[in-house]
Coordinates of all heavy atoms in Angstrom, one line a residue:
G707 N -0.3 -6.9 0.1 CA -1.3 -6.8 -1.0 C -2.6 -7.3 -0.5 O -2.8 -7.9 0.5
A708 N -3.6 -7.2 -1.4 CA -4.9 -7.6 -1.1 C -5.7 -7.8 -2.4 O -5.5 -7.1 -3.4 CB -5.6 -6.6 -0.2
I709 N -6.6 -8.8 -2.3 CA -7.6 -9.0 -3.4 C -8.7 -8.0 -3.2 O -9.3 -7.9 -2.2 CB -8.2 -10.4 -3.4 CG1 -7.0 -11.4 -3.8 CG2 -9.3 -10.5 -4.5 CD1 -7.5 -12.9 -3.6
R710 N -8.9 -7.1 -4.2 CA -9.9 -6.1 -4.2 C -11.2 -6.5 -4.8 O -12.3 -6.1 -4.3 CB -9.4 -4.8 -4.9 CG -8.2 -4.2 -4.3 CD -8.4 -2.8 -4.0 NE -7.3 -2.2 -3.2 CZ -6.7 -1.1 -3.5 NH1 -7.0 -0.5 -4.7 NH2 -5.8 -0.6 -2.8
E711 N -11.1 -7.4 -5.8 CA -12.4 -7.9 -6.4 C -12.1 -9.2 -7.1 O -11.0 -9.4 -7.7 CB -12.8 -6.9 -7.5 CG -14.1 -7.3 -8.2 CD -14.5 -6.4 -9.3 OE1 -13.6 -5.9 -10.1 OE2 -15.7 -6.1 -9.4
W712 N -13.0 -10.1 -6.9 CA -12.8 -11.4 -7.6 C -14.2 -12.0 -7.6 O -14.7 -12.6 -6.6 CB -11.9 -12.3 -6.8 CG -11.4 -13.5 -7.6 CD1 -11.5 -13.7 -8.9 CD2 -10.7 -14.7 -7.1 NE1 -10.9 -14.9 -9.3 CE2 -10.4 -15.5 -8.1 CE3 -10.4 -15.0 -5.8 CZ2 -9.8 -16.7 -8.0 CZ3 -9.7 -16.3 -5.6 CH2 -9.4 -17.1 -6.7
K713 N -14.9 -11.8 -8.7 CA -16.3 -12.2 -8.7 C -16.7 -12.6 -10.1 O -16.1 -12.2 -11.1 CB -17.2 -11.1 -8.2 CG -17.3 -9.9 -9.0 CD -18.2 -8.8 -8.4 CE -19.3 -8.4 -9.3 NZ -20.2 -7.5 -8.8
A714 N -17.8 -13.4 -10.2 CA -18.3 -13.8 -11.5 C -19.8 -13.4 -11.6 O -20.5 -13.4 -10.6 CB -18.2 -15.3 -11.7
D715 N -20.2 -13.1 -12.8 CA -21.6 -12.8 -13.1 C -22.1 -13.8 -14.1 O -21.4 -14.2 -15.0 CB -21.8 -11.4 -13.7 CG -21.4 -10.3 -12.7 OD1 -21.8 -10.4 -11.5 OD2 -20.6 -9.4 -13.1
L716 N -23.3 -14.3 -13.8 CA -23.9 -15.3 -14.7 C -25.1 -14.8 -15.4 O -25.9 -14.0 -14.9 CB -24.4 -16.5 -13.9 CG -23.4 -17.3 -13.1 CD1 -24.1 -18.4 -12.3 CD2 -22.4 -18.0 -14.1
A717 N -25.2 -15.1 -16.7 CA -26.4 -14.8 -17.5 C -26.9 -16.2 -18.1 O -26.3 -16.7 -19.0 CB -26.0 -13.9 -18.7
V718 N -27.8 -16.7 -17.4 CA -28.3 -18.1 -17.7 C -29.3 -17.9 -18.9 O -30.2 -17.1 -18.9 CB -29.0 -18.7 -16.5 CG1 -29.6 -20.1 -16.9 CG2 -28.0 -18.8 -15.4
G719 N -29.1 -18.8 -19.9 CA -29.9 -18.7 -21.1 C -30.0 -20.1 -21.7 O -29.5 -21.1 -21.3
F720 N -30.7 -20.1 -22.9 CA -30.8 -21.3 -23.6 C -30.5 -21.0 -25.1 O -31.1 -20.0 -25.6 CB -32.2 -21.9 -23.5 CG -32.4 -23.2 -24.2 CD1 -31.9 -24.4 -23.6 CD2 -33.0 -23.3 -25.5 CE1 -32.1 -25.6 -24.3 CE2 -33.1 -24.4 -26.2 CZ -32.7 -25.6 -25.6
P721 N -29.7 -21.8 -25.8 CA -29.2 -23.0 -25.5 C -27.8 -22.9 -24.7 O -27.3 -23.9 -24.2 CB -28.9 -23.7 -26.8 CG -28.6 -22.5 -27.7 CD -29.5 -21.4 -27.2
S722 N -27.3 -21.7 -24.5 CA -26.1 -21.6 -23.7 C -26.2 -20.4 -22.8 O -27.0 -19.5 -23.0 CB -24.9 -21.6 -24.7 OG -24.4 -20.3 -24.8
S723 N -25.4 -20.5 -21.8 CA -25.3 -19.4 -20.8 C -23.9 -18.8 -20.8 O -23.0 -19.3 -21.4 CB -25.6 -20.0 -19.4 OG -26.9 -20.5 -19.3
E724 N -23.8 -17.6 -20.2 CA -22.5 -16.9 -20.2 C -22.1 -16.5 -18.8 O -22.9 -16.1 -18.0 CB -22.5 -15.7 -21.1 CG -21.2 -14.9 -21.1 CD -21.3 -13.7 -22.1 OE1 -21.4 -13.9 -23.3 OE2 -21.2 -12.6 -21.5
A725 N -20.8 -16.7 -18.5 CA -20.2 -16.2 -17.2 C -19.1 -15.2 -17.6 O -18.4 -15.4 -18.5 CB -19.7 -17.4 -16.4
S726 N -19.1 -14.2 -16.8 CA -18.0 -13.2 -16.9 C -17.4 -13.0 -15.5 O -18.1 -13.0 -14.6 CB -18.4 -11.9 -17.5 OG -19.4 -11.3 -16.7
A727 N -16.1 -12.9 -15.5 CA -15.4 -12.8 -14.2 C -14.4 -11.6 -14.2 O -13.8 -11.3 -15.3 CB -14.7 -14.0 -13.8
R728 N -14.3 -11.0 -13.1 CA -13.3 -9.9 -12.9 C -12.5 -10.2 -11.7 O -13.0 -10.7 -10.7 CB -14.1 -8.5 -12.7 CG -14.8 -8.1 -13.9 CD -15.5 -6.7 -13.6 NE -16.5 -6.8 -12.6 CZ -17.7 -7.4 -12.7 NH1 -18.1 -8.0 -13.8 NH2 -18.6 -7.4 -11.7
A729 N -11.2 -9.9 -11.8 CA -10.3 -10.0 -10.7 C -9.4 -8.8 -10.6 O -8.9 -8.3 -11.6 CB -9.4 -11.3 -10.9
T730 N -9.2 -8.2 -9.4 CA -8.4 -7.1 -9.2 C -7.6 -7.3 -7.9 O -8.3 -7.7 -6.9 CB -9.2 -5.8 -9.1 OG1 -10.0 -5.6 -10.2 CG2 -8.3 -4.6 -8.9
F731 N -6.3 -7.2 -7.9 CA -5.6 -7.2 -6.7 C -4.5 -6.1 -6.6 O -4.1 -5.6 -7.7 CB -5.0 -8.6 -6.4 CG -3.8 -9.0 -7.3 CD1 -2.5 -8.7 -6.8 CD2 -4.0 -9.6 -8.4 CE1 -1.4 -9.1 -7.6 CE2 -2.9 -10.0 -9.2 CZ -1.6 -9.7 -8.8
M732 N -4.2 -5.7 -5.4 CA -3.2 -4.7 -5.2 C -2.0 -5.4 -4.6 O -2.1 -6.3 -3.7 CB -3.7 -3.7 -4.2 CG -2.8 -2.4 -4.0 SD -1.6 -2.5 -2.7 CE -2.7 -2.7 -1.3
L733 N -0.8 -5.1 -5.1 CA 0.4 -5.6 -4.6 C 1.3 -4.5 -4.1 O 1.4 -3.5 -4.8 CB 1.1 -6.4 -5.8 CG 2.5 -7.1 -5.4 CD1 2.2 -8.2 -4.4 CD2 3.0 -7.6 -6.7
E734 N 1.9 -4.6 -2.9 CA 2.7 -3.6 -2.4 C 4.0 -4.2 -1.8 O 3.9 -5.2 -1.1 CB 1.9 -2.9 -1.2 CG 2.6 -1.7 -0.7 CD 1.8 -0.9 0.3 OE1 1.5 -1.5 1.4 OE2 1.3 0.1 0.0
L735 N 5.1 -3.6 -2.2 CA 6.4 -4.1 -1.7 C 6.9 -3.0 -0.8 O 6.9 -1.8 -1.0 CB 7.4 -4.2 -2.9 CG 7.0 -5.2 -3.9 CD1 8.1 -5.2 -5.0 CD2 6.9 -6.6 -3.3
R736 N 7.4 -3.5 0.4 CA 8.0 -2.6 1.4 C 9.4 -3.1 1.8 O 9.7 -4.3 1.7 CB 7.1 -2.7 2.6 CG 5.7 -2.1 2.4 CD 4.9 -2.1 3.7 NE 3.6 -1.4 3.5 CZ 3.4 -0.1 3.7 NH1 4.4 0.6 4.2 NH2 2.3 0.4 3.5
D737 N 10.2 -2.2 2.2 CA 11.5 -2.5 2.7 C 11.4 -3.0 4.1 O 10.3 -2.9 4.7 CB 12.5 -1.4 2.5 CG 12.3 -0.2 3.4 OD1 11.5 -0.3 4.4 OD2 12.9 0.9 3.2
P738 N 12.5 -3.5 4.7 CA 12.4 -4.0 6.1 C 11.9 -3.0 7.2 O 11.3 -3.4 8.2 CB 13.9 -4.5 6.4 CG 14.4 -4.8 5.1 CD 13.8 -3.8 4.1
S739 N 12.1 -1.7 6.9 CA 11.6 -0.7 7.8 C 10.1 -0.4 7.7 O 9.5 0.3 8.5 CB 12.4 0.6 7.7 OG 12.1 1.2 6.5
G740 N 9.5 -1.0 6.6 CA 8.1 -0.7 6.4 C 7.8 0.4 5.3 O 6.7 0.6 5.0
K741 N 8.9 1.0 4.8 CA 8.7 2.0 3.8 C 8.3 1.4 2.5 O 8.8 0.4 2.0 CB 10.1 2.7 3.6 CG 10.0 3.8 2.5 CD 11.4 4.4 2.3 CE 11.3 5.3 1.0 NZ 12.7 5.7 0.6
A742 N 7.2 2.0 1.9 CA 6.7 1.5 0.6 C 7.7 1.7 -0.5 O 8.1 2.8 -0.7 CB 5.3 2.1 0.3
L743 N 8.0 0.7 -1.2 CA 8.9 0.8 -2.4 C 8.1 0.8 -3.7 O 8.6 1.4 -4.6 CB 9.9 -0.4 -2.4 CG 10.8 -0.6 -1.2 CD1 11.6 -1.9 -1.3 CD2 11.7 0.6 -1.1
Y744 N 7.0 0.1 -3.7 CA 6.2 0.0 -4.9 C 4.9 -0.5 -4.6 O 4.7 -1.3 -3.7 CB 6.9 -1.0 -5.9 CG 6.2 -1.1 -7.2 CD1 6.3 -0.1 -8.2 CD2 5.3 -2.2 -7.5 CE1 5.6 -0.2 -9.4 CE2 4.6 -2.3 -8.6 CZ 4.7 -1.3 -9.6 OH 4.0 -1.4 -10.8
S745 N 3.9 0.0 -5.4 CA 2.5 -0.6 -5.3 C 1.9 -0.6 -6.7 O 2.2 0.3 -7.5 CB 1.6 0.2 -4.3 OG 1.4 1.5 -4.8
G746 N 1.2 -1.6 -7.0 CA 0.5 -1.7 -8.3 C -0.8 -2.3 -8.1 O -1.1 -3.1 -7.2
I747 N -1.7 -2.0 -9.0 CA -3.1 -2.7 -9.1 C -3.1 -3.4 -10.4 O -2.8 -2.8 -11.5 CB -4.2 -1.6 -8.9 CG1 -4.1 -1.0 -7.6 CG2 -5.5 -2.3 -9.2 CD1 -5.1 0.2 -7.4
Y748 N -3.5 -4.6 -10.3 CA -3.5 -5.5 -11.5 C -4.9 -6.1 -11.7 O -5.6 -6.4 -10.7 CB -2.5 -6.6 -11.3 CG -1.1 -6.0 -11.1 CD1 -0.6 -5.9 -9.8 CD2 -0.4 -5.6 -12.1 CE1 0.6 -5.4 -9.5 CE2 0.9 -5.0 -11.9 CZ 1.3 -4.9 -10.6 OH 2.6 -4.3 -10.4
K749 N -5.4 -6.1 -13.0 CA -6.7 -6.6 -13.3 C -6.8 -7.6 -14.3 O -5.9 -7.6 -15.2 CB -7.6 -5.3 -13.7 CG -7.7 -4.3 -12.7 CD -8.5 -3.1 -13.2 CE -8.6 -2.0 -12.1 NZ -9.5 -0.9 -12.5
G750 N -7.8 -8.5 -14.2 CA -8.0 -9.5 -15.3 C -9.5 -9.6 -15.5 O -10.3 -9.3 -14.6
F751 N -9.9 -10.1 -16.7 CA -11.2 -10.3 -17.1 C -11.4 -11.5 -18.0 O -10.5 -11.8 -18.8 CB -11.7 -9.0 -17.8 CG -13.2 -9.1 -18.2 CD1 -14.2 -8.9 -17.3 CD2 -13.5 -9.5 -19.5 CE1 -15.5 -9.0 -17.7 CE2 -14.9 -9.6 -19.9 CZ -15.9 -9.3 -19.0
S752 N -12.4 -12.3 -17.8 CA -12.6 -13.5 -18.6 C -14.1 -13.7 -18.8 O -14.9 -13.4 -17.9 CB -12.0 -14.7 -17.9 OG -12.2 -15.8 -18.7
T753 N -14.5 -14.2 -20.0 CA -15.8 -14.6 -20.2 C -15.8 -16.1 -20.8 O -14.8 -16.5 -21.4 CB -16.5 -13.7 -21.2 OG1 -15.8 -13.7 -22.5 CG2 -16.6 -12.3 -20.7
L754 N -16.9 -16.7 -20.6 CA -17.1 -18.1 -21.1 C -18.6 -18.3 -21.4 O -19.4 -18.0 -20.6 CB -16.6 -19.1 -20.1 CG -16.7 -20.6 -20.4 CD1 -15.7 -20.9 -21.5 CD2 -16.3 -21.4 -19.2
E755 N -18.8 -18.9 -22.6 CA -20.2 -19.4 -22.9 C -20.2 -20.9 -22.9 O -19.3 -21.5 -23.5 CB -20.5 -18.9 -24.3 CG -21.6 -17.8 -24.3 CD -22.0 -17.4 -25.7 OE1 -22.8 -18.2 -26.3 OE2 -21.6 -16.3 -26.1
H756 N -21.2 -21.5 -22.3 CA -21.3 -22.9 -22.2 C -22.7 -23.3 -21.9 O -23.4 -22.6 -21.2 CB -20.3 -23.4 -21.1 CG -20.0 -24.9 -21.2 ND1 -20.8 -25.8 -20.6 CD2 -19.0 -25.5 -21.8 CE1 -20.3 -27.0 -20.8 NE2 -19.2 -26.9 -21.5
P757 N -23.2 -24.4 -22.4 CA -24.6 -24.9 -22.1 C -24.8 -25.2 -20.6 O -25.9 -25.0 -20.0 CB -24.8 -26.1 -22.9 CG -23.7 -26.2 -23.9 CD -22.6 -25.3 -23.4
F758 N -23.7 -25.6 -19.9 CA -23.8 -25.9 -18.5 C -22.8 -25.1 -17.7 O -21.9 -25.5 -17.1 CB -23.5 -27.4 -18.2 CG -24.4 -28.3 -19.1 CD1 -23.9 -29.0 -20.2 CD2 -25.8 -28.5 -18.7 CE1 -24.7 -29.8 -20.9 CE2 -26.6 -29.3 -19.5 CZ -26.1 -30.0 -20.6
I759 N -23.1 -23.8 -17.7 CA -22.2 -22.8 -17.1 C -21.9 -23.0 -15.6 O -20.8 -22.6 -15.1 CB -22.6 -21.4 -17.5 CG1 -21.5 -20.4 -17.4 CG2 -23.8 -20.9 -16.6 CD1 -20.5 -20.6 -18.5
E760 N -22.9 -23.5 -14.9 CA -22.7 -23.6 -13.5 C -21.5 -24.4 -13.1 O -20.9 -24.2 -12.1 CB -24.0 -24.3 -12.8 CG -25.2 -23.4 -12.9 CD -25.9 -23.4 -14.2 OE1 -25.6 -24.3 -15.1 OE2 -26.8 -22.6 -14.4
G761 N -21.1 -25.4 -13.9 CA -19.9 -26.2 -13.6 C -18.6 -25.6 -14.1 O -17.6 -26.1 -13.9
K762 N -18.7 -24.4 -14.7 CA -17.5 -23.7 -15.2 C -17.1 -22.4 -14.5 O -16.3 -21.7 -14.9 CB -17.8 -23.4 -16.7 CG -18.1 -24.5 -17.6 CD -16.9 -25.4 -17.8 CE -17.1 -26.5 -18.8 NZ -15.9 -27.3 -19.1
I763 N -17.8 -22.1 -13.4 CA -17.5 -20.9 -12.7 C -16.1 -20.8 -12.2 O -15.4 -19.7 -12.3 CB -18.5 -20.7 -11.5 CG1 -20.0 -20.8 -12.0 CG2 -18.2 -19.4 -10.7 CD1 -20.3 -19.7 -13.0
E764 N -15.6 -21.9 -11.6 CA -14.2 -21.9 -11.1 C -13.2 -21.6 -12.3 O -12.2 -20.9 -12.1 CB -13.9 -23.2 -10.5 CG -14.6 -23.4 -9.2 CD -14.3 -24.8 -8.6 OE1 -13.5 -25.6 -9.2 OE2 -14.9 -25.1 -7.6
E765 N -13.5 -22.1 -13.5 CA -12.6 -21.9 -14.6 C -12.6 -20.4 -15.0 O -11.5 -19.9 -15.2 CB -13.1 -22.8 -15.8 CG -12.3 -22.6 -17.0 CD -12.9 -23.5 -18.2 OE1 -13.5 -24.5 -17.9 OE2 -12.6 -23.1 -19.3
V766 N -13.7 -19.8 -15.1 CA -13.7 -18.4 -15.5 C -13.1 -17.5 -14.5 O -12.4 -16.5 -14.8 CB -15.1 -18.0 -16.0 CG1 -16.1 -17.7 -14.8 CG2 -15.1 -16.7 -16.9
L767 N -13.3 -17.8 -13.2 CA -12.7 -17.0 -12.1 C -11.2 -17.2 -12.1 O -10.4 -16.3 -12.0 CB -13.2 -17.5 -10.8 CG -14.6 -17.0 -10.4 CD1 -15.2 -17.7 -9.2 CD2 -14.6 -15.5 -10.1
G768 N -10.7 -18.4 -12.4 CA -9.3 -18.7 -12.5 C -8.6 -18.0 -13.6 O -7.5 -17.5 -13.5
E769 N -9.3 -18.0 -14.7 CA -8.7 -17.3 -15.9 C -8.6 -15.8 -15.6 O -7.6 -15.1 -16.0 CB -9.6 -17.5 -17.1 CG -9.5 -18.9 -17.7 CD -10.4 -19.2 -18.9 OE1 -10.9 -18.2 -19.5 OE2 -10.5 -20.3 -19.3
A770 N -9.6 -15.2 -15.0 CA -9.5 -13.7 -14.7 C -8.4 -13.5 -13.7 O -7.6 -12.5 -13.9 CB -10.9 -13.3 -14.1
M771 N -8.2 -14.3 -12.7 CA -7.1 -14.0 -11.7 C -5.8 -14.3 -12.4 O -4.8 -13.6 -12.2 CB -7.3 -14.9 -10.5 CG -6.3 -14.6 -9.4 SD -6.2 -12.9 -8.8 CE -7.6 -12.8 -7.8
G772 N -5.8 -15.3 -13.3 CA -4.5 -15.6 -14.0 C -4.1 -14.5 -14.9 O -2.9 -14.2 -14.9
Q773 N -5.0 -13.8 -15.5 CA -4.7 -12.6 -16.3 C -4.1 -11.5 -15.4 O -3.1 -10.8 -15.8 CB -5.9 -12.0 -17.0 CG -6.3 -12.8 -18.2 CD -7.4 -12.1 -19.0 OE1 -7.8 -11.0 -18.7 NE2 -7.9 -12.8 -20.0
A774 N -4.7 -11.3 -14.2 CA -4.2 -10.3 -13.3 C -2.8 -10.6 -12.8 O -1.9 -9.7 -12.8 CB -5.2 -10.1 -12.1
I775 N -2.5 -11.9 -12.5 CA -1.2 -12.3 -12.1 C -0.2 -12.1 -13.2 O 0.9 -11.7 -13.0 CB -1.3 -13.7 -11.5 CG1 -2.1 -13.8 -10.2 CG2 0.1 -14.3 -11.3 CD1 -2.4 -15.2 -9.8
D776 N -0.6 -12.5 -14.4 CA 0.3 -12.3 -15.6 C 0.7 -10.9 -15.7 O 1.8 -10.5 -16.1 CB -0.3 -12.9 -16.9 CG -0.3 -14.4 -17.0 OD1 0.5 -15.0 -16.2 OD2 -1.0 -14.9 -17.8
Q777 N -0.3 -10.0 -15.6 CA -0.1 -8.6 -15.7 C 1.0 -8.1 -14.7 O 1.9 -7.4 -15.0 CB -1.4 -7.8 -15.5 CG -1.3 -6.4 -15.8 CD -2.7 -5.7 -15.6 OE1 -3.3 -5.8 -14.5 NE2 -3.2 -5.0 -16.6
A778 N 0.9 -8.6 -13.4 CA 1.9 -8.3 -12.4 C 3.2 -8.8 -12.8 O 4.3 -8.1 -12.6 CB 1.4 -8.8 -11.0
L779 N 3.3 -10.1 -13.2 CA 4.6 -10.7 -13.5 C 5.3 -10.0 -14.7 O 6.5 -10.2 -14.9 CB 4.4 -12.2 -13.8 CG 4.0 -13.0 -12.6 CD1 3.7 -14.4 -12.9 CD2 5.0 -12.9 -11.5
N780 N 4.5 -9.3 -15.5 CA 5.1 -8.6 -16.7 C 5.2 -7.1 -16.5 O 5.4 -6.4 -17.5 CB 4.2 -9.0 -17.9 CG 4.4 -10.4 -18.4 OD1 5.5 -10.8 -18.7 ND2 3.3 -11.2 -18.3
D781 N 5.0 -6.7 -15.3 CA 5.1 -5.2 -15.0 C 6.5 -4.9 -14.9 O 7.2 -5.3 -13.9 CB 4.3 -4.9 -13.7 CG 4.4 -3.5 -13.3 OD1 5.2 -2.7 -13.9 OD2 3.7 -3.1 -12.3
P782 N 7.1 -4.1 -15.8 CA 8.5 -3.8 -15.8 C 8.9 -3.0 -14.5 O 10.0 -3.1 -14.1 CB 8.7 -2.9 -17.1 CG 7.4 -2.5 -17.5 CD 6.4 -3.5 -17.0
N783 N 8.0 -2.2 -14.0 CA 8.4 -1.4 -12.8 C 8.5 -2.4 -11.6 O 9.4 -2.2 -10.8 CB 7.3 -0.4 -12.5 CG 7.3 0.7 -13.6 OD1 8.3 1.1 -14.1 ND2 6.0 1.0 -14.0
L784 N 7.6 -3.3 -11.5 CA 7.7 -4.3 -10.4 C 9.0 -5.2 -10.6 O 9.7 -5.4 -9.6 CB 6.5 -5.2 -10.4 CG 6.5 -6.4 -9.4 CD1 6.5 -5.8 -8.0 CD2 5.2 -7.2 -9.6
I785 N 9.2 -5.6 -11.8 CA 10.4 -6.4 -12.0 C 11.7 -5.7 -11.7 O 12.6 -6.2 -11.1 CB 10.4 -6.9 -13.5 CG1 9.3 -8.0 -13.6 CG2 11.8 -7.6 -13.8 CD1 9.0 -8.3 -15.1
N786 N 11.7 -4.4 -12.0 CA 12.9 -3.5 -11.7 C 13.1 -3.4 -10.2 O 14.3 -3.5 -9.8 CB 12.7 -2.1 -12.3 CG 13.9 -1.3 -12.1 OD1 15.0 -1.7 -12.3 ND2 13.6 0.0 -11.8
I787 N 12.1 -3.3 -9.4 CA 12.2 -3.2 -8.0 C 12.7 -4.5 -7.4 O 13.6 -4.5 -6.5 CB 10.9 -2.8 -7.3 CG1 10.5 -1.4 -7.7 CG2 10.9 -2.9 -5.8 CD1 11.3 -0.3 -7.1
I788 N 12.2 -5.6 -7.9 CA 12.5 -6.9 -7.4 C 14.0 -7.3 -7.7 O 14.7 -7.9 -6.9 CB 11.6 -8.0 -7.9 CG1 10.2 -7.8 -7.3 CG2 12.0 -9.4 -7.6 CD1 9.1 -8.7 -7.9
T789 N 14.4 -6.9 -8.9 CA 15.8 -7.4 -9.3 C 16.9 -6.4 -9.0 O 18.0 -6.6 -9.4 CB 15.7 -7.6 -10.8 OG1 15.4 -6.5 -11.5 CG2 14.8 -8.8 -11.2
R790 N 16.6 -5.3 -8.3 CA 17.6 -4.4 -7.9 C 18.6 -5.0 -7.0 O 18.4 -5.7 -6.2 CB 17.1 -3.2 -7.2 CG 16.5 -2.1 -8.0 CD 16.4 -0.9 -7.3 NE 15.0 -0.5 -7.1 CZ 14.6 0.6 -6.5 NH1 15.4 1.3 -5.9 NH2 13.3 0.9 -6.5

């Protein structure tokens, strides 16, 4: 698999600023011979408003990636392949 996108955008303002983050990763499962068994693309998005947004970038990025990971962990097709 690979991370395809993981970035944050800032809109600095007063009295508060906003950060939005996007995360996308591709997960691919292969058998021992290298044959692809499954692939999926998972996405997450998060926004945060705060007066001191610069200190919160890691938080909003983490939330976006967390959503993408949750999406993968709840993908019934992926779970089916793993539990066969």
Side-chain angles (χ1 to χ4, degrees):
I709 294 174
R710 296 234 172 127
E711 178 182 42
W712 195 17
K713 67 183 236 178
D715 296 314
L716 297 175
V718 178
F720 182 82
S722 103
S723 299
E724 182 177 293
S726 61
R728 291 179 300 285
T730 304
F731 72 91
M732 188 268 299
L733 181 65
E734 187 172 70
L735 297 178
R736 294 181 174 268
D737 70 11
S739 70
K741 178 184 171 193
L743 298 174
Y744 181 78
S745 67
I747 296 175
Y748 305 97
K749 298 179 179 188
F751 181 79
S752 181
T753 61
L754 178 67
E755 250 185 74
H756 196 274
F758 305 106
I759 202 69
E760 292 80 9
K762 301 288 186 176
I763 303 302
E764 291 174 5
E765 180 180 334
V766 75
L767 283 167
E769 287 178 13
M771 185 57 77
Q773 282 185 9
I775 292 169
D776 284 345
Q777 190 179 52
L779 294 175
N780 290 299
D781 179 349
N783 296 318
L784 175 61
I785 292 167
N786 185 43
I787 294 290
I788 292 171
T789 58
R790 279 199 243 179

